[in-house]
Amino acid sequence: VTQLFELSKLGDFFGILDLLDHLEQEDIELRPFLVKLRLLAKKFDENQIEKLLRPHLPKDHSEYLQM
């Protein structure tokens, strides 16, 4: 989640899509969540991606939680 959030902050939507492909191969149970993220990445919707990811960030990344 942290890596996806960081890619979003950079505006690296192709990096997000590549990572989503990898994650989907690793854990099929994530598919519904990844589908939502993929749709947002294809729309280049940085704000909604970050909004979706923020609740799932580890607590040690509190600098992202305040953005």
Side-chain angles (χ1 to χ4, degrees), residues 7-67:
L7 289 168
S8 178
K9 295 303 284 178
L10 294 171
D12 186 355
F13 297 100
F14 295 108
I16 292 171
L17 292 170
D18 287 341
L19 184 53
L20 292 175
D21 289 340
H22 174 75
L23 291 171
E24 191 169 17
Q25 292 174 4
E26 292 290 316
D27 188 350
I28 195 70
E29 291 181 18
L30 293 174
R31 191 168 198 283
F33 184 69
L34 301 178
V35 166
K36 289 178 188 177
L37 285 171
R38 185 174 283 111
L39 289 172
L40 294 171
K42 287 181 177 180
K43 292 179 180 180
F44 305 103
D45 195 338
E46 176 183 335
N47 291 330
Q48 288 301 312
I49 291 170
E50 292 171 15
K51 184 177 178 181
L52 185 60
L53 293 174
R54 193 169 279 117
H56 304 284
L57 286 170
K59 301 222 184 293
D60 62 339
H61 285 78
S62 59
E63 68 272 14
Y64 294 134
L65 299 176
Q66 298 172 4
M67 296 178 162

